[in-house]
Amino acid sequence: MSEDRNANLNTLKEFQRQWMEIGHVPAQEKDRLYKAFKDIINKHWEVLKASSSEHRSNNYKNYVNDMLEHSDGGQALDKERRFLQNKLTKLREDIAIWENNLGFFSNSKNAQILIQEFKKKIELAKDEMKNIEEKIKILQK
């Protein structure tokens, strides 16, 4: 690691890209090696004090680049885009239903518990929506 944060980020991204290019790994070693690699990468991300969204974004960019390198990359990207759009639509619908249901809970005995659970669900869904929207932006580039 050097003093230049951007250079360190680029080095880390390049290292992850090289990892993705390694190719076939025996099935019995795959999980162990991936866990060891992931642990090391995560430690470097922590040293760089990179945000979790920056880390997720980088991982997704690597995933997209890997898709593009295959012969059916365009089709895979279209399929991924449709999947994300459908997931985003479903989350929006779920949030609307959950927010609507909050009004009905005020009449029940355990209203506060249910309200808190649904508010937490809604916040998690909104965070997931932001992640999906970020992924869609990456796909558009």
Side-chain angles (χ1 to χ4, degrees):
M1 295 292 193
S2 69
E3 296 291 321
D4 184 4
R5 184 175 188 276
N6 288 333
N8 290 337
L9 285 171
N10 289 335
T11 300
L12 192 54
K13 289 175 186 178
E14 176 62 20
F15 185 67
Q16 287 179 304
R17 188 190 59 73
Q18 289 174 3
W19 170 264
M20 297 297 286
E21 292 176 352
I22 288 175
H24 177 73
V25 177
Q28 64 269 21
E29 294 294 318
K30 185 177 180 181
D31 290 339
R32 182 185 64 79
L33 291 173
Y34 181 75
K35 183 183 179 324
F37 173 77
K38 189 103 168 119
D39 290 343
I40 290 168
I41 290 296
N42 287 340
K43 286 178 186 174
H44 284 291
W45 280 102
E46 288 173 16
V47 168
L48 291 174
K49 294 182 176 43
S51 70
S52 60
S53 64
E54 190 176 17
H55 183 63
R56 276 192 311 269
S57 175
N58 184 59
N59 285 343
Y60 192 71
K61 285 177 186 175
N62 288 336
Y63 173 71
V64 169
N65 288 335
D66 189 44
M67 275 195 288
L68 287 172
E69 290 177 7
H70 291 84
S71 62
D72 67 342
Q75 290 177 336
L77 286 179
D78 288 340
K79 184 178 178 182
E80 179 74 5
R81 187 177 295 111
R82 282 190 307 273
F83 170 77
L84 292 173
Q85 289 290 357
N86 290 339
K87 192 171 182 179
L88 191 59
T89 300
K90 175 77 170 110
L91 282 171
R92 284 186 180 129
E93 292 170 356
D94 288 346
I95 289 171
I97 291 169
W98 295 334
E99 288 176 337
N100 185 47
N101 289 346
L102 285 176
F104 298 114
F105 292 142
S106 60
N107 298 329
S108 68
K109 287 183 180 181
N110 298 325
Q112 286 303 320
I113 295 170
L114 291 172
I115 289 171
Q116 291 305 318
E117 285 179 20
F118 270 87
K119 284 184 178 180
K120 185 176 180 180
K121 257 180 147 174
I122 290 168
E123 287 305 312
L124 290 173
K126 286 181 179 180
D127 287 343
E128 188 173 353
M129 281 178 58
K130 288 178 188 173
N131 291 336
I132 291 171
E133 288 167 348
E134 185 179 316
K135 287 179 179 181
I136 291 171
K137 286 179 186 175
I138 291 170
L139 285 174
Q140 290 172 342
K141 291 179 184 178

